[in-house]
Amino acid sequence: METIQEIYLTNPATKKDWQRFLTSQGLANFSDQELAAIDKTFAIYDDQDQMVGTGSIAGQTLKYLAVAAAGTSKGARFNRLVSTLETTLSQDGIFHLFVFTKLQYEQSFIHVGFTTLAKTNAGLILEKGLPNVASFLAALPQKPASAKQVAAVVLNANPFTKGHRYLVETAAQKNDFVYVFVVEEDQSLFTTEERLRLVQEGTSDLVNVVVATGGPYMVSSLSFPAYFLKDDSQRVSYQTRLDATLFKEQIAKPLGITSRYVGTEPLSQTTNQYNQALQEVLPPEVQVELIPRMKESAENQQVISARTVRKAIQTGQIQDVTDILPATSLSFIEKYLTDLQARIKKGQKIDGN
Amino acid sequence: MEIKKTALAGTLESSDVQIMVSQGTNGLEFDLVSDVAKQFGEQIQATIEDVFAAYDIHNAVIKVVDQGALDPVIKSRAITVCQRALDQVDQPRWEVL
């Protein structure tokens, strides 16, 4: 009789056995970054106490899933593992999960109730459970039936600057309706709630613009983890294509989005790579409008960047950045300056995104 | 009755059925993944919806992954998921059985 149990990778012997098994199954990325994300790990052992299957949970994502083909049915072990991981997540109140995997395993996951969100040559991402992408779309404000040209802008807006405002305004002038999606991931100096509020306040005069968070589907730690962590460029290239494909298939298509507006990116290599991936993946169904970044002033040809604002918050020299902030963002920063500075002191990074 | 929280019952193992239930606003929205959906899809749906009717649940999103479960298994998993979704696991409703 095969048994399934939770195993603890803090035990060096267990961890070694687990890595040996995964390596034999062709999984070999044991970077500290990946391992640190694991919350729980389960393993199946056969009669001889040999590991014949394992799977882990990291947040709401299934990871390091592998089953040996020898002995009983491979499918039975796979189903048992996925089921155990899912039940464990449900006990923590998580009913919505994701998995990244290789193309050859797509059918195995579909067979246990997953649906494919995005697929590229290098791999795919699937989700299962509720709320899912359909409920995410249903909760968004509806565009008027007359809207034909529909644009989307995805912003982290950490915080919302006149540069962001210029991008949204340009999209609003040239389109009937604009969706502004604020990155939901709460890893930035300004919290998701604050970023969302500042974008809403800073665009409230634009009548054909709605603001919402992008859920786990746009530039999230799920669809595009490298945006938040330094990573090698091959992985960035894979993730950016996956994120772009997800946007095209699951967001743009059902919402009738015809173009996506992005700012040119002279400063961040990762974001630049992301823009390239969008240009490769989205057309012809969705046009990519690359808008030159707004400059700080006629004398100062530096492009407006939220990073400049974050640096000014750190040093307390807000007077240097008043010109590049909308009044709504500026008054928020002035009001909460000491709080924001305290977050930086506590270790919040301000160099990345 | 209103669904209080999202709930899950059952497993993905052979001869079992896994049912997830969440709040809905548009009647019983039923979704089934099964190798035998063609032959038994309607029967599986009827069995589950009967249980929901017995619990007086008229609005819910129901996601079912079937691995060839027999009717009594489907029924018992449906009862469990309803009790969990209604937050009534400590008050079994024997009359539904």
Side-chain angles (χ1 to χ4, degrees):
Chain A
M1 184 65 189
E2 292 186 351
T3 54
I4 188 162
Q5 63 187 77
E6 185 170 358
I7 61 169
Y8 301 93
L9 301 177
T10 43
N11 178 335
T14 308
K15 185 174 172 184
K16 208 174 154 197
D17 188 35
W18 176 77
Q19 289 198 345
R20 182 200 52 74
F21 174 73
L22 285 172
T23 309
S24 75
Q25 297 298 319
L27 274 167
N29 173 15
F30 299 111
S31 70
D32 292 345
Q33 195 180 303
E34 286 286 338
L35 294 183
I38 294 178
D39 298 322
K40 276 179 184 165
T41 299
F42 286 82
I44 300 179
Y45 293 92
D46 66 9
D47 312 343
Q48 279 86 45
D49 221 18
Q50 291 293 309
M51 193 182 288
V52 289
T54 180
S56 299
I57 299 166
Q60 55 181 151
T61 307
L62 305 188
K63 291 204 163 151
Y64 291 111
L65 204 65
V67 286
T72 54
S73 147
K74 194 176 178 178
R77 285 177 183 153
F78 174 82
N79 286 16
R80 194 171 179 194
L81 264 174
V82 173
S83 188
T84 305
L85 294 170
E86 223 178 318
T87 304
T88 306
L89 279 169
S90 78
Q91 283 157 358
D92 293 333
I94 299 171
F95 295 92
H96 181 215
L97 56 155
F98 297 95
V99 66
F100 289 88
T101 186
K102 292 179 187 152
L103 293 176
Q104 67 256 42
Y105 304 121
E106 183 179 17
Q107 283 310 316
S108 305
F109 282 100
I110 287 178
H111 188 68
V112 292
F114 281 81
T115 48
T116 303
L117 283 177
K119 195 167 17 172
T120 71
N121 291 332
L124 76 165
I125 176 170
L126 304 101
E127 77 171 342
K128 180 178 178 182
L130 295 163
N132 56 14
V133 70
S135 26
F136 170 76
L137 293 174
L140 290 175
Q142 296 291 311
K143 63 170 194 275
S146 60
K148 289 208 170 53
Q149 294 288 109
V150 181
V153 184
V154 180
L155 303 171
N156 192 32
N158 180 32
F160 188 72
T161 64
K162 279 188 181 165
H164 298 118
R165 163 80 198 190
Y166 172 68
L167 183 65
V168 175
E169 216 174 70
T170 310
Q173 278 164 5
K174 295 192 175 143
N175 292 274
D176 301 325
F177 195 73
V178 181
Y179 287 101
V180 177
F181 294 109
V182 178
V183 171
E184 190 177 79
E185 203 67 29
D186 213 347
Q187 295 199 16
S188 303
L189 172 60
F190 289 78
T191 66
T192 307
E193 203 183 320
E194 290 163 356
R195 288 183 289 109
L196 182 69
R197 181 180 138 190
L198 292 179
V199 178
Q200 275 166 339
E201 288 177 357
T203 58
S204 57
D205 57 313
L206 303 170
V207 291
N208 60 340
V209 172
V210 293
V211 183
T213 66
Y217 304 106
M218 277 167 268
V219 195
S220 65
S221 62
L222 174 88
S223 67
F224 188 11
Y227 187 75
F228 303 97
L229 303 158
K230 285 214 180 310
D231 225 324
D232 61 71
S233 79
Q234 199 193 335
R235 275 169 60 98
V236 172
S237 144
Y238 163 61
Q239 290 168 12
T240 50
R241 267 179 191 73
L242 205 56
D243 184 277
T245 312
L246 204 163
F247 177 79
K248 180 178 180 173
E249 298 298 327
Q250 305 293 337
I251 309 295
K253 202 189 256 177
L255 292 178
I257 290 167
T258 48
S259 59
R260 175 147 165 189
Y261 280 69
V262 294
T264 51
E265 188 49 74
L267 301 176
S268 154
Q269 211 210 327
T270 304
T271 310
N272 200 16
Q273 253 184 296
Y274 182 56
N275 284 351
Q276 280 175 15
L278 289 174
Q279 284 171 296
E280 282 167 29
V281 174
L282 298 189
E285 292 87 345
V286 180
Q287 292 305 315
V288 178
E289 302 290 345
L290 206 55
I291 306 300
R293 287 271 283 272
M294 198 179 179
K295 304 277 177 16
E296 289 199 359
S297 63
E299 306 86 63
N300 183 354
Q301 286 292 304
Q302 180 83 10
V303 298
I304 293 180
S305 166
R307 187 175 308 182
T308 316
V309 178
R310 298 196 292 272
K311 291 227 169 89
I313 291 170
Q314 187 180 31
T315 58
Q317 278 158 331
I318 300 301
Q319 67 279 5
D320 294 350
V321 292
T322 49
D323 289 346
I324 64 170
L325 286 169
T328 45
S329 296
L330 182 60
S331 72
F332 180 90
I333 291 169
E334 282 170 341
K335 192 167 168 198
Y336 295 102
L337 185 61
T338 48
D339 187 28
L340 291 164
Q341 284 174 330
R343 290 181 204 170
I344 296 171
K345 280 216 182 78
K346 266 168 104 183
Q348 172 66 49
K349 289 197 173 59
I350 57 165
D351 277 350
N353 286 305
Chain B
M1 288 256 234
E2 290 293 315
I3 301 282
K4 291 232 172 56
K5 57 181 192 187
T6 306
L8 180 75
T11 75
L12 301 168
E13 294 184 46
S14 184
S15 305
D16 201 349
V17 61
Q18 186 198 52
I19 309 178
M20 186 182 284
V21 172
S22 183
Q23 282 175 343
T25 49
N26 197 14
L28 296 179
E29 297 171 64
F30 190 87
D31 175 61
L32 172 70
V33 175
S34 172
D35 284 345
V36 294
K38 239 187 198 158
Q39 300 94 320
F40 297 112
E42 282 176 22
Q43 195 182 328
I44 294 169
Q45 180 167 0
T47 305
I48 293 172
E49 290 188 349
D50 280 352
V51 173
F52 276 71
Y55 276 94
D56 206 18
I57 300 170
H58 302 289
N59 287 299
V61 179
I62 310 168
K63 294 209 172 275
V64 182
V65 182
D66 168 59
Q67 302 290 342
L70 296 172
D71 242 26
V73 176
I74 298 171
K75 192 175 170 189
S76 60
R77 295 305 194 191
I79 290 170
T80 310
V81 83
C82 285
Q83 297 264 166
R84 285 181 182 163
L86 297 171
D87 218 356
Q88 294 183 343
V89 280
D90 51 347
Q91 309 150 37
R93 297 231 259 138
W94 303 111
E95 73 277 12
V96 174
L97 299 169

